[in-house]
Amino acid sequence: MAADCEPGRSDAKGLLTITAEKLEFYESVGTLDEVQEAAPERIRASFDFTGEGMTWERDIAFELEDGGATLVRSEFGPEAAPDPFRYAKCN
């Protein structure tokens, strides 16, 4: 959604901001724990999350597609989402 590319909007629930050490979602933050795999267009790492009064861990892989315009997030483990998430790059 177009609103997802505008930080600070209350309806930007699909926004994912990635820095060298963190993943920032609408209501949670994941801090990098350990990198298991790194390549130019793919990384897999474990993250420690906090949000809405809870904490959890997640093993996540990110892969670039479409020349870097699309980011695919896949989760692994017993609590993982069953299907990958796709993100469009904000300008």
Side-chain angles (χ1 to χ4, degrees):
M1 295 175 59
D4 291 341
C5 287
E6 297 180 34
R9 284 186 59 145
S10 62
D11 58 348
K13 295 182 180 182
L15 178 66
L16 167 59
T17 302
I18 300 174
T19 66
E21 299 291 325
K22 290 186 179 179
L23 306 175
E24 296 183 37
F25 294 90
Y26 176 67
E27 294 180 331
S28 63
V29 174
T31 302
L32 179 64
D33 181 37
E34 181 182 354
V35 175
Q36 289 98 13
E37 176 186 341
E41 295 189 5
R42 178 179 165 82
I43 188 168
R44 182 169 173 175
S46 57
F47 294 86
D48 297 320
F49 279 89
T50 59
E52 297 185 327
M54 299 172 53
T55 62
W56 65 97
E57 296 176 359
R58 191 72 78 228
D59 180 8
I60 302 174
F62 291 98
E63 191 161 355
L64 290 173
E65 294 182 350
D66 305 323
T70 303
L71 180 70
V72 179
R73 173 172 61 101
S74 301
E75 297 182 354
F76 302 90
E79 302 282 327
D83 297 314
F85 298 88
R86 300 178 74 78
Y87 300 88
K89 186 176 182 178
C90 294
N91 294 324

